[in-house]
Structure formats: structure tokens, C-alpha cells
Amino acid sequence: MILGICDGHNSSASLIDEKEIIYAASEERFTRKKNFRGYPANSIDYGINSFVSEKDELSAITVGGQFRKGERLKKLKILQENLEIPMYYFNHHLCHAASYKLSDFKECLILTMDGGGDGLSSTVSIGNGSKIETIAQSDLIDSVGDFYASITELLGFKPMEDEGKVMSLSSFESDDSKINLDIIDYNEKTKSFKNYLGVIGSESTKALKRILDYSTPNKSYDIQISKFVQSKLEEVVLKLLKQFVEETGIKNIVFSGGVAQNVKLNKQIIEQDFVDNLYVPPFTGDEGLSIGSSILCSKHDFDLKNTYLGYEIDNCNVEKIVDLEKNFKVQYIEENDISESVGKLISENKLVCVSREKMEFGPRALGNRSILGLPTNENAKKLAKTLKRNSFMPYAPTILDEYSESYLKNKKYSPYMTMLFDCFESKKSEIEGTVHVDGTTRAQTLKKEFNGTFYNTINFLNDATQIPAVLNTSFNLHGEPIVCNEIDAINSFKKVGDYLLLGNYLIEKLD
């Protein structure tokens, strides 16, 4: 068994054994600090205490990222001394690239792209069997991810966290003229990106503020700038991919790193004639480095069945907590009755928070740490107000896979919400609360084998409403990490939702 660690941005820990990922969790879920940076002590402890029965079951520690100093390095060394096993450090982008082993491609082009890590901001590689051959790189100065993050900061959002807000804004129409500036591009001769600003980080934000003559927030101009950065991102990435597909003849693409969370870009990639297939792993951000580093240390391929890999809700813990609460009505629900009970509440237009079984790993809630409701505009507006979430940010649906072709153009199986689809005009009214202003939706398509209880809940709802879909958003207040344990669920439920399914306990608020 290999213990994987990421101790940087959005730190995490994981455990793999032969061909199986046994456990993975982000430290932010335990500390309740979004995108926690640092040594993932809680994630490590929970994984070892829950899944490692004997010390000698652990054969190695792998660490995502090579460059670190001070306390971070000291803590890793102490862990190694306590466990008395080898520790291996792997390059940041190589760890991102290792996720190609989770795809079913025999050969693929691997694109990794983020703000930066271990001196690089993007790489292109060929994945073939157990080999990764890197064929192009861009350094930290020429970082497309940093360019997008700088625009995010310019618009008053948090860089390295709120890029999704910029992407959402870019879908709105603007009356202003189109911005056309040569700030970043792709150079086919050097096979790398080129940042004409020559600076990154806060210096980049200052330079862009001057160039774009940006002073105070202005909705129309904010949309115009968002459209500019999104268009430029798509332009340069497609230019890079087209060159390498033509040079290698490989049309299966694996895309990882933080930029791969941009689903509008992913949609553009898969729609290109020169691309056959696109695989985006469910944990493309730096949290995935812990798993990626362990994959690099293993000789096996991996079959990822789902991302339910984290903290597991315990009914015994729930019993102790709810006994102390005075303003709740609590009912135990047998496992076989959960889908009908929750489905009925949703059909009655109740918002149901769900926190049960193992927590998902990655940025998306996929039914085990979700808020569920009818996919209506009414619920979307209600949630935006309650969660204090920007009104321009869209919500996502979970649709039963066998019905999804009726709703989604060019439908592909999408269990992890990593893809964006156009919604058929005739179906928009049925799921209007989860369709963005541009007619797209970031849908999870769900098969029964992925999550049987969640599937049966939506199936019950379909029988009642003739709509095989729910609005599915992550169970957390805006700006907080997704809930992890029983106490997190109770605390968040006090501020959002009508009912809470916590383990097997259905909890209702009393007025």
C-alpha cells in the first residue's frame, strides 16, 4: 500500500493498493479552510487510522511536487522516520500527467496546465502503456493559468479559487465592443506559450489593470473582459493541441491540471474535428497530485469506479449528535426506503441536503455530499440567496444516463461533471434551473452502478414528475469547503435546506 501526499495548494492524502485507489481526501475538508495549503495532517491520519491495520502494510510514501523547504520538508521527514519506509518525490506536472492511467486509452496525448508547479505551467506528453514521454513544456512566466488567475483577481475575485466565476460571466452578452489584445499566445516553433506581459502573479494583475484601463467593477465591462480571457484561453489551447495531434497522429486527449476545470474549454476541445476522445479526470486540481504521485510509483493500471473515497458518515456518530439538538425532528430510514423518502420530498419541492457514506474526492459533489432539489429557476434563485452565491453562477443537474440523450446534444457519459453540454431547446424548460444563460449545462449523467441509492432517488422522482433529473449542488455554504463529517453537515444544514439525510437519519427543522 502506498501513501500519497500533496502538501501544497489544496493539499491531500491518498492510499492505493495494487490496482485500486482505496482512499483520498483533501485537507480543506477537515480544516474547513478552502484550498488549504500545507501539510495534510488530518487527511493522513484519517486514511492511516481507517484503512491501515498494520504498519508494515505501507510500502512507500510518494509526494506530489519536488521543490519545498522549511516546515513542509521537516514534517514530511518526520512522517518518514515514524513510518520507516522509503519516500519518493515526483515532479508536479508529471503527477498531473499520471492521471492518464485512469482513462481507458492505450495511447494518448496528455496536456497538463495550471498556474504553475515545479517551474512549469504546462506540459504535453505521450502516454503509452506505463510510459510518459514529455514532448513540450511551458515555464512559469508563460503561464496561461496565471493569466486567467490574474484576470480573476482583476475582477475582484479570488485567484486560484474563483476562476469559475469568470468562466460563468463569459457566457453573458455584452453591448461593448470585443477586446482584442495580444497578451498571451502559442508559438508553434518553440512549442510553448508566450506571455507578452513578461510578468506573473500580482505584477501581471497590475499590468492588466493598466492595459485594460480597469478601475471599478462594471457589469458590462466585467463581462467583456471575461469573454476576452475565456476566448484567448480557448484559442491558444486549441492551437497547441492541433499542432501536436497533427504531428503525432494521436487523437485521444487526457487533460489535467487546474485549467482542466474550465468546462467551456473542455467543450471546445471535444468539438474539434481533430479530436476523437477527451478524458478529464475528476480531480484535475492539485488535490490530485497525491494520487498521481502514487500512480507513478506503481506498476499497475487503475480502474476508477467512482470518487467516493473519503470520510465515511457513521450512524453511531449521528445518533450522538442529534440527541443534543433540540430544534430537529429525527427519523431513522431503512436503507431500502431512502430513495423513496428523499425522492418524495424533492417531488414536493423540498431542498434536501445529503451527507452519507463516503465523501467524494475532487471539487464536485456527486450525490453523497449534495443539496438536491427540483431543477427549477425558483430553486436556483432560492439557493443563490441562501448560500450567498453570485446570481450569475449556474447550477448543475444530475440526469439519469439512459434519458440524457433527450436533454444533451452530443451526449457522452459524464459521471464526474467534467464536461459541458448544449441543452436541447425543447428540454430547457424541464431543467431550467440548471441551464446557463448560453443554453449549456454542466451535467452529471448517472448510471445505477455508479451510485445505486442516488440513481433510485432520481428514478423515483422521474416516476412522480416525468423529469429524470435533479438540481445537484455541493453541500456547503459559498466560500466554504464541501461538508466532511457529521458535525459539518449539521452546522451547514442549520443555514440551508428543508431536510437533511445524515447517514440513515432524516432530519427536519422545527419552527
Side-chain angles (χ1 to χ4, degrees):
M1 194 181 297
I2 300 172
L3 171 63
I5 294 174
C6 166
D7 65 333
H9 173 75
N10 200 356
S11 63
S12 66
S14 63
L15 290 166
I16 70 170
D17 186 9
E18 296 183 346
K19 298 182 179 182
E20 185 180 6
I21 301 172
I22 297 170
Y23 162 78
S26 295
E27 186 70 4
E28 66 166 20
R29 307 291 175 87
F30 296 94
T31 64
R32 311 309 301 155
K33 296 179 181 178
K34 186 75 172 174
N35 289 322
F36 179 86
R37 178 185 291 274
Y39 181 74
N42 297 285
S43 304
I44 293 170
D45 289 346
Y46 182 83
I48 290 177
N49 292 334
S50 301
F51 299 96
V52 180
S53 55
E54 299 291 339
K55 187 176 178 180
D56 59 9
E57 283 187 84
L58 287 172
S59 60
I61 304 167
T62 62
V63 184
Q66 292 176 308
F67 301 142
R68 59 185 44 74
K69 58 184 179 180
E71 289 300 312
R72 288 173 62 194
L73 185 57
K74 191 180 297 182
K75 288 177 180 178
L76 288 171
K77 294 294 291 181
I78 291 172
L79 176 67
Q80 182 187 19
E81 290 169 4
N82 290 338
L83 295 177
E84 296 182 306
I85 52 177
M87 184 159 61
Y88 305 99
Y89 298 85
F90 293 94
N91 178 273
H92 181 105
H93 279 269
L94 194 61
C95 293
H96 279 316
S99 60
Y100 86 98
K101 280 199 170 186
L102 303 176
S103 75
D104 57 4
F105 302 148
K106 291 183 179 179
E107 185 178 52
C108 58
L109 271 180
I110 311 167
L111 172 62
T112 70
M113 187 177 298
D114 56 18
D118 285 346
L120 300 174
S121 61
S122 71
T123 66
V124 181
S125 306
I126 296 174
N128 191 332
S130 60
K131 291 173 56 179
I132 299 175
E133 178 191 356
T134 301
I135 55 177
Q137 299 174 334
S138 291
D139 60 32
L140 290 179
I141 292 293
D142 297 323
S143 173
V144 177
D146 186 85
F147 168 58
Y148 207 103
S150 295
I151 293 290
T152 301
E153 184 176 31
L154 173 73
L155 295 177
F157 304 128
K158 282 187 179 180
M160 308 298 288
E161 184 174 324
D162 288 339
E163 281 72 16
K165 295 181 180 180
V166 179
M167 182 185 69
S168 297
L169 274 177
S170 73
S171 297
F172 287 81
E173 292 299 323
S174 171
D175 295 332
D176 295 319
S177 59
K178 181 180 178 181
I179 298 172
N180 187 15
L181 295 171
D182 292 327
I183 291 175
I184 199 157
D185 204 350
Y186 174 70
N187 188 321
E188 294 183 359
K189 292 183 179 179
T190 62
K191 297 185 177 182
S192 67
F193 296 107
K194 176 61 179 177
N195 172 13
Y196 292 108
L197 292 176
V199 291
I200 58 174
S202 60
E203 291 303 312
S204 173
T205 304
K206 291 176 185 176
L208 287 165
K209 185 175 183 179
R210 183 178 66 254
I211 292 168
L212 294 167
D213 191 24
Y214 189 87
S215 54
T216 57
N218 176 290
K219 184 177 180 182
S220 182
Y221 196 34
D222 288 356
I223 291 171
Q224 189 184 359
I225 292 172
S226 298
K227 294 176 85 68
F228 159 65
V229 69
Q230 181 67 31
S231 175
K232 185 60 68 172
L233 171 69
E234 294 169 9
E235 174 192 324
V236 299
V237 170
L238 293 178
K239 192 183 292 187
L240 173 147
L241 281 175
K242 189 173 189 293
Q243 178 180 8
F244 284 102
V245 168
E246 290 177 349
E247 286 188 4
T248 64
I250 301 172
K251 297 185 176 183
N252 291 328
I253 311 295
V254 172
F255 188 21
S256 191
V259 177
Q261 293 181 35
N262 190 302
V263 290
K264 289 191 71 174
L265 171 59
N266 297 346
K267 183 174 182 288
Q268 286 295 315
I269 293 173
I270 197 61
E271 289 177 351
Q272 301 305 306
D273 291 338
F274 57 83
V275 173
D276 282 348
N277 298 290
L278 173 66
Y279 176 75
V280 180
F283 27 80
T284 66
D286 284 359
E287 75 279 0
L289 297 179
S290 60
I291 289 179
S293 64
S294 294
I295 289 175
L296 290 169
C297 196
S298 172
K299 297 178 181 178
H300 300 286
D301 292 326
F302 290 83
D303 180 19
L304 182 67
K305 294 182 174 62
N306 56 58
T307 57
Y308 307 119
L309 299 167
Y311 181 95
E312 186 168 12
I313 297 295
D314 187 331
N315 280 329
C316 293
N317 292 340
V318 178
E319 291 169 7
K320 295 173 185 176
I321 293 170
V322 296
D323 280 346
L324 301 175
E325 296 289 342
K326 305 300 182 185
N327 297 318
F328 291 153
K329 178 183 176 182
V330 182
Q331 178 186 1
Y332 182 86
I333 307 293
E334 295 291 343
E335 192 70 26
N336 292 338
D337 296 329
I338 285 176
S339 297
E340 181 176 347
S341 298
V342 174
K344 187 172 185 297
L345 290 171
I346 295 173
S347 72
E348 295 169 352
N349 204 26
K350 303 299 183 183
L351 291 174
V352 182
C353 303
V354 176
S355 184
R356 66 188 311 270
E357 298 189 330
K358 290 184 178 180
M359 177 175 62
E360 301 92 337
F361 183 57
R364 305 300 174 207
L366 304 172
N368 281 7
R369 299 292 189 280
S370 293
I371 303 173
L372 307 176
L374 292 175
T376 62
N377 273 334
E378 175 195 0
N379 281 336
K381 290 176 182 177
K382 182 178 180 180
L383 279 168
K385 183 178 180 179
T386 305
L387 297 172
K388 298 180 180 179
R389 173 173 162 146
N390 297 84
S391 59
F392 57 80
M393 295 176 65
Y395 289 90
T398 297
I399 307 174
L400 298 184
D401 186 67
E402 64 266 36
Y403 293 92
S404 58
E405 281 187 341
S406 300
Y407 290 83
L408 311 175
K409 296 180 183 178
N410 301 317
K411 176 263 172 180
K412 291 176 174 57
Y413 182 46
S414 180
Y416 302 119
M417 282 188 184
T418 57
M419 303 300 295
L420 189 69
F421 302 92
D422 291 310
C423 182
F424 283 111
E425 192 68 37
S426 61
K427 289 292 188 179
K428 285 181 182 178
S429 62
E430 294 185 11
I431 58 170
E432 60 182 354
T434 62
V435 178
H436 198 26
V437 64
D438 60 356
T440 62
T441 183
R442 177 173 49 83
Q444 175 194 18
T445 60
L446 183 65
K447 293 181 179 180
K448 190 169 185 176
E449 57 266 30
F450 190 84
N451 187 327
T453 301
F454 191 24
Y455 177 95
N456 290 335
T457 299
I458 302 175
N459 202 34
F460 179 91
L461 185 65
N462 183 38
D463 290 339
T465 65
Q466 284 70 59
I467 298 176
V470 293
L471 183 155
N472 174 14
T473 193
S474 57
F475 185 16
N476 60 280
L477 300 179
H478 187 56
E480 294 182 1
I482 295 173
V483 302
C484 176
N485 59 32
E486 299 84 0
I487 294 175
D488 300 335
I490 289 289
N491 289 339
S492 293
F493 175 57
K494 289 177 180 178
K495 299 175 183 177
V496 63
D498 301 307
Y499 287 82
L500 167 63
L501 179 68
L502 185 54
N504 284 72
Y505 288 87
L506 186 64
I507 304 171
E508 179 184 3
K509 295 172 183 174
L510 298 176
D511 294 331

